[in-house]
Amino acid sequence: MVVSPDVEGSTYPPVRFRVDETRARAFADAVGHRGPGVPPTIVTVPEIEAGLDHVVSDPRLGVDLSRVLHGEQEYRWSRPVVVGETLTASATIEGVRDKGGMRFLVLRTEVVDEAGELVASGRSTLIVRGDG
Amino acid sequence: MSVRFDDLVVGQDLPSSRRTVTREDIKAYADASGDQNPLHRDDEVARAAGFPRVVAHGMYTMGTLTSWLVDWLGDPAALLRLRAHFRAPVLVDETIECGGRVRSLDPQTRTAMLDVWVRVERDGSIEWPIRRSEAEVRLA
């Protein structure tokens, strides 16, 4: 596992995610969200598309999805997500380090609304298990 | 009914909640989130990764913890920040328990820091799929 040093700080292309009623409902059902509004962790949907999906197809990283474990996750929300809006998520590789045969990838994702205002930010630590 | 800041005291336990995680639940989360990692649907892939069977997504568990928290808060807007450390897998058909405790209170901003966790009983001992994790909430 050799990483070129220019991977840190690199940003993937932004992705758009429309929070339609059907998707919001499916997500709410999946996580057992009973109350009003949209589940706060629906931001995981564009976060995955903006970050993890790019990571596993990034030839510089050579990550096999079935070897990826989630180590940590943090979200900060500026306001609740609402049905009908379109969010844009963009992910940056904040750090890469190898330890004990595993690779730790830290991704930071910013989720903004149509006005460009920050809705939520996420920081994920992904652990990629080695071959042995 | 929403929780109010003045109702909270440091050290107070939040009402815990249990949920059994089925294969259908994990599939529903994979479809809703777009995370189709085979660890979450294929027992053979899970075994090759060292798990006895399919495991739930960490984000399924965190999403479930969030729903429990928001249900208690009564308002998704009250949740400002949530950080989770994933420390153990959740195996399909296990029952997880979400819990938390008030760590500190700031009357000036009417925010509370909560310790939150998800635990599961496995083979007579307690495992912690999410532990040493925290939520920051702002209340009326």
Side-chain angles (χ1 to χ4, degrees), chain B residues 67-119:
Chain B
S67 296
W68 161 79
L69 190 57
V70 167
D71 199 32
W72 175 73
L73 291 166
D75 177 11
L79 181 60
L80 303 179
R81 185 171 71 83
L82 180 61
R83 188 178 61 166
H85 294 117
F86 303 107
R87 287 292 178 264
V90 172
L91 307 178
V92 65
D93 297 327
E94 286 188 315
T95 299
I96 57 175
E97 182 184 313
C98 300
R101 184 172 296 143
V102 179
R103 183 200 300 171
S104 64
L105 295 166
D106 182 345
Q108 297 230 305
T109 56
R110 300 182 79 80
T111 56
M113 288 292 293
L114 311 172
D115 293 311
V116 292
W117 57 79
V118 174
R119 63 183 191 175

Side-chain angles (χ1 to χ4, degrees), chain B residues 2-34:
Chain B
S2 298
V3 171
R4 295 185 57 81
F5 183 82
D6 295 332
D7 296 338
L8 300 183
V9 290
V10 171
Q12 176 183 342
D13 284 320
L14 277 54
S16 63
S17 166
R18 293 157 73 92
R19 177 171 178 175
T20 299
V21 182
T22 67
R23 210 167 276 266
E24 292 70 38
D25 290 335
I26 297 173
K27 183 182 184 309
Y29 186 80
D31 293 342
S33 69

Side-chain angles (χ1 to χ4, degrees), chain A residues 31 34 71 73-75 77, chain B residues 37 67 71 80-82 84 86:
Chain A
V31 295
R34 302 191 294 181
Q73 179 70 42
E74 181 173 25
Y75 289 119
W77 291 273
Chain B
N37 188 328
S67 296
D71 199 32
L80 303 179
R81 185 171 71 83
L82 180 61
F86 303 107

Side-chain angles (χ1 to χ4, degrees), chain A residues 8-77:
Chain A
E8 282 191 352
S10 61
T11 297
Y12 293 115
V15 301
R16 283 158 64 84
F17 173 64
R18 187 173 143 73
V19 187
D20 66 47
E21 185 81 50
T22 308
R23 294 208 67 168
R25 179 43 51 197
F27 196 89
D29 289 346
V31 295
H33 177 85
R34 302 191 294 181
V38 176
T41 62
I42 200 163
V43 294
T44 307
V45 179
E47 182 189 34
I48 288 171
E49 211 181 318
L52 181 62
D53 286 359
H54 285 131
V55 163
V56 297
S57 59
D58 188 335
R60 298 172 302 174
L61 292 168
V63 170
D64 170 359
L65 182 60
S66 70
R67 295 188 169 278
V68 175
L69 297 174
H70 205 160
E72 291 179 31
Q73 179 70 42
E74 181 173 25
Y75 289 119
R76 289 170 189 270
W77 291 273

